[in-house]
Amino acid sequence: MAERVKSVPKMAARKRDETYSLLNPRDWSMQLIVLSALLLLIFLTGGTSRYDTPHVMVLRPAAILAAGFALITLSREHWQSYRPVLALAIAVTGLIAFHLVPLPPGVWQSLPGREIVADIDALAGFEDQWRPLSLFPEGTRNALYAMSVPVAALLLGVQLGERDRARLLLVVILLCMASGLVGVIQAAGSDIRFYRVSSENAGLFANRNHQAAMLAAMFPMIAAMALSASAYTNHARPVRLVAAAGLVALVPLIMVTGSRMGLVVGLIGFACLVFMRFSKEGSEKSFALSGAMQALAGALIAAGMAAGTVFLARDKALDRMAGGTEDEMRLPVWQSMIEFMPQYMPWGSGVGSFVPVYQIHEPTTLLMPGYFNQAHNDWLDIPLTSGLPGVVLAAAAIVMFALGAKAALAARGVSGHLRRCGIIVILVLAFASLSDYPIRTPILAAVIAIAAVWASSPALQKS
């Protein structure tokens, strides 16, 4: 009898240890430690898509080393559990590499859209020059090196068990909040800038739109943390209160960026919280509210915070909506892209070749002192630069997303919360890519890779 009495405290202590171990770095796997360190470096150096910044001299070699470590520890079980996502990553990387393979002169000159270069070669006496498929090999090489960041995050992420994936959620949230706080400091008048070319109130990014997209993606992350609070601590209510405060704080943080796109994707991220299913589930009955009550409460909170933000004269995004900006040129640029895009089908102009290709076809009415460094619409950039193969891979990704969303609806427990979180994060960044290029930044490239891990994670997996 005495032995049975003694076993009860031991079982309780073991349960507490299992819960608190989520926050204990000593219980983290080596893959999570390496990934967390890499994410810290990414957030400090990967806020811009420009490849002429000195930050990439540190970031990309570190990402390649992390990817090498991940390949050494990758097992058959990891591959089988995440085969579709890993196969897609291999296909995308392979397509970029294929655009760098030198082709015989006759083959290259027969490709659509190469006439102007072929004429220059003929005048310069370089008719026998072997050239890669890409019209801008330098940009394609940059795109291939840039893949090292999301690939490293993906290869490390697929090796994490359920507990480590929950720990990773907290790591990502903390890093994103750090960028949000930097944005607040900048909005308060500080001239903190991390990159030579950057916009105001961009946080750890160079572009305010990318900061806003990241903040919008935090809605499902914080919601997943709230729903999984019992996995982090035995005292779940304080965690959920902090999460609720975080959700409220995201509204003014997004508006401070001054990003109009951020308002749209922020609304999408907030509206998709219904997908997270704040409902009675197991031991979370004390936290549960009806969907209608939560939607009403959330709408009131968001409206109140938005009104407060406008009243405090921090409604940068609304100010930009009232006045015209250079962003109004995006629509005519997209229209011109649609007009000359067929000239490069079916193989495309080469990954990363948008700038020189657009300058060849740029209408005189759109000429300006500066230049468009990206298409500001990655869904149009894909067919132009990657051709039909890129469109096929994008379609495959959409199908995988749809199947993942369907499976996430039926998932339960911490894994289910993470799967739904990953789906919404991907959706938010996909919408943001309709008017910008957020996942071309290393930070959001790593975030979407991690979201893919969450969205496709197995229902049951040992830590």
Side-chain angles (χ1 to χ4, degrees):
M1 186 69 178
E3 292 180 358
R4 182 176 299 177
V5 172
K6 291 180 179 178
S7 66
V8 174
K10 289 182 179 179
M11 293 177 62
R14 189 182 301 114
K15 183 177 181 180
R16 286 196 301 270
D17 291 341
E18 290 176 355
T19 301
Y20 290 126
S21 65
L22 281 172
L23 303 177
N24 189 350
R26 291 180 299 178
D27 296 323
W28 293 15
S29 67
M30 182 56 65
Q31 287 83 355
L32 178 59
I33 293 174
V34 173
L35 179 53
S36 299
L38 178 62
L39 284 173
L40 177 60
L41 179 62
I42 291 172
F43 271 77
L44 291 175
T45 62
T48 178
S49 64
R50 298 179 66 95
Y51 62 90
D52 56 355
T53 176
H55 299 73
V56 299
M57 298 175 62
V58 176
L59 175 58
R60 291 180 179 175
I64 292 173
L65 289 176
F69 168 77
L71 286 173
I72 293 174
T73 57
L74 190 70
S75 69
R76 182 186 297 271
E77 181 182 355
H78 299 139
W79 167 259
Q80 292 176 345
S81 298
Y82 293 90
R83 184 182 303 172
V85 175
L86 291 173
L88 181 63
I90 292 173
V92 171
T93 306
L95 178 61
I96 299 173
F98 174 73
H99 281 203
L100 291 171
V101 175
L103 300 174
V107 174
W108 189 88
Q109 292 170 10
S110 66
L111 296 176
R114 271 66 181 176
E115 295 81 8
I116 185 172
V117 179
D119 292 342
I120 294 174
D121 282 347
L123 291 173
F126 294 137
E127 298 94 333
D128 298 330
Q129 184 79 23
W130 284 53
R131 293 184 179 277
L133 185 149
S134 175
L135 283 170
F136 187 44
E138 181 182 352
T140 307
R141 282 193 295 269
N142 170 66
L144 183 60
Y145 294 148
M147 285 295 296
S148 62
V149 173
V151 167
L154 181 64
L155 291 175
L156 289 167
V158 299
Q159 300 181 48
L160 304 181
E162 183 179 283
R163 289 180 178 276
D164 277 346
R165 291 196 297 272
R167 294 170 178 129
L168 179 60
L169 175 65
L170 185 59
V171 171
V172 175
I173 289 175
L174 290 175
L175 290 173
C176 291
M177 287 303 298
S179 183
L181 291 176
V182 172
V184 171
I185 295 173
Q186 293 169 335
S190 176
D191 192 26
I192 299 176
R193 291 179 180 268
F194 294 87
Y195 304 97
R196 179 176 57 86
V197 180
S198 61
S199 54
E200 296 179 352
N201 309 333
L204 296 177
F205 290 88
N207 188 316
R208 62 162 64 91
N209 292 327
H210 304 158
Q211 167 86 337
M214 181 206 67
L215 293 171
M218 287 187 67
F219 278 113
M221 294 186 200
I222 295 177
M225 184 184 71
L227 289 168
S228 306
S230 57
Y232 291 101
T233 174
N234 287 328
H235 305 286
R237 187 174 296 275
V239 175
R240 289 164 180 159
L241 290 175
V242 171
L247 290 174
V248 171
L250 286 177
V251 177
L253 287 178
I254 291 174
M255 299 190 74
V256 160
T257 65
S259 170
R260 295 174 292 181
M261 177 272 292
L263 288 178
V264 176
V265 295
L267 179 61
I268 292 172
F270 183 80
C272 285
L273 291 185
V274 177
F275 185 65
M276 296 296 296
R277 285 191 176 181
F278 287 91
S279 59
K280 295 183 179 181
E281 185 174 313
S283 61
E284 301 187 27
K285 294 182 179 180
S286 61
F287 177 64
L289 292 173
S290 69
M293 288 295 294
Q294 289 177 62
L296 178 60
L300 290 174
I301 292 173
M305 292 305 298
T309 304
V310 174
F311 180 76
L312 293 173
R314 292 299 184 187
D315 52 328
K316 300 286 186 180
L318 298 181
D319 287 344
R320 295 182 69 229
M321 284 181 177
T325 68
E326 68 279 2
D327 293 343
E328 295 176 355
M329 296 185 63
R330 293 182 184 182
L331 184 57
V333 168
W334 298 340
Q335 292 173 339
S336 66
M337 286 177 62
I338 294 174
E339 292 175 0
F340 67 75
M341 189 183 299
Q343 300 180 30
Y344 297 94
M345 287 296 178
W347 305 112
S349 60
V351 177
S353 64
F354 168 78
V355 172
V357 169
Y358 176 73
Q359 289 174 345
I360 293 174
H361 303 276
E362 187 174 14
T364 55
T365 54
L366 297 181
L367 291 175
M368 57 181 180
Y371 72 100
F372 270 76
N373 63 322
Q374 300 287 350
H376 290 77
N377 186 327
D378 278 344
W379 293 101
L380 280 180
D381 186 277
I382 290 173
L384 172 63
T385 61
S386 303
L388 186 59
V391 172
V392 171
L393 291 179
I398 293 173
V399 172
M400 289 171 54
F401 173 85
L403 294 175
K406 181 180 179 181
L409 280 172
R412 292 292 181 267
V414 175
S415 179
H417 301 323
L418 291 177
R419 293 187 75 165
R420 290 185 284 275
C421 168
I423 289 293
I424 299 175
V425 170
I426 294 172
L427 181 66
V428 167
L429 295 181
F431 266 96
S433 298
L434 285 170
S435 62
D436 221 280
Y437 47 98
I439 61 174
R440 292 181 184 271
T441 64
I443 291 178
L444 291 178
V447 168
I448 200 170
I450 292 171
V453 172
W454 288 333
S456 56
S457 58
L460 293 175
Q461 185 174 335
K462 295 181 180 179
S463 298

